[in-house]
Amino acid sequence: MPGPQQRGQRRPLSVRGSRPAARLGGNSKVRIAVGRFLLIGALVIAGVKLVQVQGIQAGELAQQAEKQRITNQNIPAERGSILDRNGNQLAFSIEVRALYILPQRARKAWDEARAKDPEQYPVSYDDHAREVAKFISGTLGPEVNGWKTDEETIYRRLVKDISYEVLVSEAEPAKAAKIVEKYPAEIGSEYRSKRIYPNGELAANIIGAANWRQDEKPPTTQGILGLESAQDNLLAGRMGRRVVDTMSGDDSVVIPNTERELVKPQPGKSLELTIDIDTQYAVQKIVSDYTAKTRAKNGSAVVLDARTGEIVAMANDKTYDPANFGAASEDQLRNGAVASNFEPGSVHKIVTAAAAVEYGLFKPDDVLQVPGSIKVADRVIRDAWSHGTVPMTFTGVFAKSSNVGTLMAAQEVGQERFAEMLDKFGLGKRTQSGVPAEEAGVVPPLNQWSGSTFGNLPIGQGLSMTLLQMTGMYQAIANDGVRVPPRLVRAEIGEQGSRTEKQRPEGVRVVSPETAKTVREMFRSVTQSDPRDANQNGTGRPAAVPGYQIAGKTGTAQQIDQTCKCYSQSEYWTTFAGILPADNPRYVIGVMLDAPENAQSASPVFHDIATFLTQRFKVPMSAEQTPFVQLQL
């Protein structure tokens, strides 16, 4: 029986394992070949696509890119406030929101979505717009700051066949957020700022006006008038930056809810003024009422702190609503207290009085033999009342406002010393007070004086000044002979309430303290009233305030008649400047009336303002009443 068939010899493991290795090597070559083929294919496809994109579809894709692009935009900063000296707000900004829609884009998006999923979008765009309009009107109410926001009006805006439509310009941020949250795909919200003037017309001639300027690049709140304009850079702050998606090639049309903030804006600084809001209100009302009563063309008043020169109040009879400044006339917009030059008249005689005392030429009780007229070059100057030669004390010359007596004293002073005194009083140049639109006034230089010039200047004609300059002259006498340039801005307030006090201007020594005190005492007699002898009465008796010594001066200056280019016989500027109280000066008040009927005095305006100040600031009464002095022998 044959035995089992003998098997062949077993192969070594190394040999058996080599066959799979050979198969693996064969697959790798195939894979590399396939990979190369696919890579070449991909490059060919990419190349074809590139040709298609850059060539065939270039126009279409460019149009699509134009419809939505990334745009960098500036973010307006929060505008600083304007405050009075006690922190009361005179101007501040609030955030509001403009709600808008891109109607054509919204309709197209709705129609496309409805075509894809009619169950989720069962109604037409117009019906959807009705629903949106109802919600917006219900949230905002029927009107927002003059914008109609009733349901029908909103609906008509939603369905307009245009690319961009504002629904409301000044919505409350919280209400705007509620609407955008409800309809984020359709409604966009855009930041805007609204300037608020809580006191309306009060101090508008100083504060000015600012409003949101949508036409600016970028849109922002911009100062237009007054301090709002002059201090615009400080109040405006520094803009931030953001990235948005914009539509239709118009960088101003932002696709709703695509804003990404990059750099936060830096808020503007606030301004603390020297103005006291209560005093400003009282002075503005007093001036307005008296200007209307006397039928003057214009009226202004200024109140200065006697020691610091700070402007406590500055008011004109005409003013305007800063929130509606476009409706104001040019006369309403002007700050007459600094922008109107006028001839001061006899209130200017304080220059002669100060110079004569300073140079030791006259003492208060010195007697001058004052004739009824005096000739200066080719001019004859008379007093306001007819008289022969009258013995007047040097004090009486100013209390009775004698032109002739004043010119007699001025001639003793001399032209050069008089011109030097005008310069020390700061006339003919701006005060640098910080009040916008300030005029410099006009003082003819000494080398241009004619023979008759020195017959005009000492009595307040032939030169012009602003009311602020005129009041500043009396501040120098109130402040022991040192004129401190007036100022309006007291401090700058930064973030977190950091306060930087503005440096006070350097004072200018005009006359010695002794001279200033003597002049104050002399000018107390302007308000003197003697029931026994009218010759001892001053010209400014209505300015007197019971219980307080008042030093001041009246003024009446002829205006220029434009028909003859000569001095008018019917129209005058009437002025008054005075110190309260004369024995311990706290405040200086200047008043100007432009052509009041019958040249009515400005003294009553001073009286009313001074009376208010004594009550508002609890000014102590004078230690003693003003003594009676002899004005005329």
Side-chain angles (χ1 to χ4, degrees):
M1 188 173 171
Q5 187 176 359
Q6 189 177 2
R7 294 182 180 179
Q9 190 175 0
R10 200 183 282 262
R11 293 177 180 172
L13 290 175
S14 61
V15 175
R16 292 184 66 185
S18 65
R19 292 179 64 94
R23 288 196 299 271
L24 181 61
N27 290 341
S28 175
K29 291 179 181 178
V30 172
R31 289 173 183 172
I32 290 172
V34 171
R36 287 175 178 172
F37 177 78
L38 292 175
L39 179 60
I40 292 170
L43 292 173
V44 170
I45 292 171
V48 171
K49 187 65 176 177
L50 185 63
V51 171
Q52 184 181 21
V53 169
Q54 292 187 342
I56 301 172
Q57 295 182 332
E60 179 184 351
L61 293 175
Q63 289 178 358
Q64 292 179 4
E66 279 293 313
K67 292 179 180 178
Q68 180 171 328
R69 64 171 65 175
I70 294 175
T71 303
N72 289 317
Q73 287 189 340
N74 290 320
I75 307 173
E78 181 182 351
R79 191 174 181 84
S81 300
I82 300 178
L83 315 170
D84 85 337
R85 67 191 298 126
N86 301 309
N88 296 304
Q89 290 187 316
L90 302 174
F92 63 93
S93 295
I94 60 171
E95 178 183 341
V96 293
R97 292 281 173 167
L99 293 177
Y100 65 91
I101 187 171
L102 311 179
Q104 292 173 339
R105 182 177 183 274
R107 181 183 289 276
K108 181 180 178 182
W110 183 269
D111 291 344
E112 289 176 351
R114 189 182 182 204
K116 292 180 181 178
D117 191 351
E119 290 186 6
Q120 187 174 350
Y121 299 90
V123 299
S124 67
Y125 175 76
D126 287 346
D127 289 339
H128 173 64
R130 288 282 182 191
E131 174 192 325
V132 176
K134 182 178 181 180
F135 184 81
I136 292 176
S137 181
T139 303
L140 298 179
E143 184 175 316
V144 177
N145 295 320
W147 279 67
K148 289 186 176 181
T149 51
D150 59 276
E151 184 176 337
E152 184 61 30
T153 300
I154 294 294
Y155 170 75
R156 289 198 302 269
R157 291 172 184 157
L158 292 172
V159 298
K160 279 186 177 180
D161 188 21
I162 57 178
S163 61
Y164 175 81
E165 175 73 2
V166 176
L167 304 176
V168 61
S169 68
E170 295 179 356
E172 293 179 26
K175 293 181 178 180
K178 183 178 179 181
I179 293 168
V180 172
E181 184 180 5
K182 177 79 171 176
Y183 301 104
E186 295 95 342
I187 308 301
S189 175
E190 186 177 77
Y191 170 89
R192 291 189 182 179
S193 177
K194 183 178 181 180
R195 202 63 168 162
I196 303 295
Y197 299 94
N199 304 292
E201 297 182 349
L202 186 67
N205 304 106
I206 300 171
I207 299 165
N211 64 2
W212 181 261
R213 303 302 297 269
Q214 189 65 23
D215 55 338
E216 290 294 316
K217 299 293 182 182
T220 186
T221 299
Q222 188 175 68
I224 307 298
L225 300 166
L227 273 178
E228 291 275 32
S229 175
Q231 299 284 346
D232 191 57
N233 289 338
L234 184 141
L235 291 165
R238 185 179 301 169
M239 292 190 176
R241 297 283 293 174
R242 68 177 177 178
V243 172
V244 296
D245 295 338
T246 55
M247 284 291 295
S248 304
D250 186 348
D251 291 347
S252 65
V253 180
V254 178
I255 295 175
N257 302 300
T258 62
E259 299 89 348
R260 290 91 76 190
E261 186 174 85
L262 295 178
V263 180
K264 290 185 177 181
Q266 181 177 327
K269 291 184 178 180
S270 295
L271 293 176
E272 179 184 296
L273 306 186
T274 59
I275 298 295
D276 175 69
I277 192 172
D278 292 335
T279 304
Q280 179 70 25
Y281 175 83
V283 172
Q284 196 162 311
K285 187 175 189 313
I286 291 167
V287 168
S288 297
D289 290 350
Y290 196 75
T291 301
K293 179 181 177 180
T294 59
R295 299 186 181 180
K297 294 178 182 178
N298 300 287
S300 301
V302 170
V303 178
L304 298 180
D305 184 292
R307 298 301 179 192
T308 66
E310 291 180 345
I311 301 170
V312 181
M314 175 181 286
N316 306 283
D317 71 299
K318 295 178 179 63
T319 183
Y320 62 95
D321 180 2
N324 188 28
F325 63 86
S329 66
E330 184 177 341
D331 212 25
Q332 288 174 300
L333 296 175
R334 182 186 299 110
N335 184 356
V338 295
S340 297
N341 291 319
F342 60 91
E343 295 192 0
S346 295
V347 74
H348 185 62
K349 290 174 181 175
I350 198 168
V351 177
T352 300
V357 173
E358 179 75 359
Y359 295 121
L361 302 173
F362 293 92
K363 294 183 176 62
D365 295 334
D366 287 350
V367 178
L368 289 75
Q369 298 297 325
V370 181
S373 65
I374 187 172
K375 188 173 183 180
V376 179
D378 59 346
R379 287 196 61 210
V380 176
I381 294 93
R382 294 179 171 81
D383 280 335
W385 72 103
S386 297
H387 64 83
T389 300
V390 175
M392 294 184 190
T393 62
F394 189 57
T395 297
V397 165
F398 301 101
K400 297 178 69 65
S401 201
S402 169
N403 293 333
V404 176
T406 302
L407 290 173
M408 292 170 64
Q411 288 175 343
E412 293 295 320
V413 172
Q415 295 188 13
E416 290 187 4
R417 291 194 295 194
F418 187 85
E420 181 183 355
M421 191 62 69
L422 292 176
D423 183 66
K424 287 182 178 180
F425 271 112
L427 302 178
K429 49 195 173 188
R430 292 180 179 87
T431 68
Q432 306 301 322
S433 63
V435 183
E438 182 181 355
E439 290 290 331
V442 178
V443 176
L446 180 60
N447 59 11
Q448 293 181 15
W449 291 11
S450 66
S452 61
T453 300
F454 204 45
N456 282 335
L457 297 182
I459 60 175
Q461 296 206 285
L463 80 168
S464 65
M465 62 184 66
T466 67
L467 180 59
L468 183 59
Q469 288 175 319
M470 186 188 87
T471 312
M473 294 168 60
Y474 282 73
Q475 182 273 329
I477 299 301
N479 191 36
D480 291 335
V482 177
R483 177 175 59 85
V484 180
R487 66 169 180 161
L488 176 62
V489 179
R490 199 177 194 186
E492 295 176 5
I493 301 175
E495 291 186 83
Q496 287 81 47
S498 61
R499 186 174 181 277
T500 304
E501 183 88 16
K502 296 288 284 185
Q503 186 175 359
R504 291 186 180 182
E506 291 289 332
V508 178
R509 171 64 65 184
V510 180
V511 294
S512 69
E514 294 76 20
T515 294
K517 183 174 184 294
T518 298
V519 172
R520 286 200 305 270
E521 291 176 348
M522 287 172 55
F523 277 52
R524 293 180 305 186
S525 59
V526 170
T527 61
Q528 179 171 297
S529 179
D530 189 342
R532 300 165 301 174
D533 183 1
N535 289 324
Q536 309 307 323
N537 288 343
T539 58
R541 298 184 301 282
V545 178
Y548 295 89
Q549 294 186 12
I550 301 297
K553 186 71 188 77
T554 55
T556 305
Q558 294 171 289
Q559 296 192 12
I560 299 296
D561 186 333
Q562 295 300 325
T563 58
C564 65
K565 303 299 180 183
C566 59
Y567 279 115
S568 171
Q569 300 301 313
S570 59
E571 292 194 340
Y572 300 83
W573 289 289
T574 63
T575 53
F576 192 94
I579 300 165
L580 169 74
D583 55 329
N584 184 23
R586 288 278 303 276
Y587 299 101
V588 181
I589 305 165
V591 182
M592 186 278 291
L593 298 175
D594 180 359
E597 271 190 351
N598 304 316
Q600 294 181 64
S601 172
S603 302
V605 180
F606 174 92
H607 169 272
D608 291 349
I609 295 174
T611 300
F612 171 83
L613 292 172
T614 62
Q615 298 168 358
R616 167 78 174 114
F617 297 105
K618 297 179 174 58
V619 179
M621 286 189 177
S622 297
E624 58 183 28
Q625 295 302 302
T626 303
F628 277 92
V629 297
Q630 190 117 16
L631 307 180
Q632 179 177 322
L633 303 181

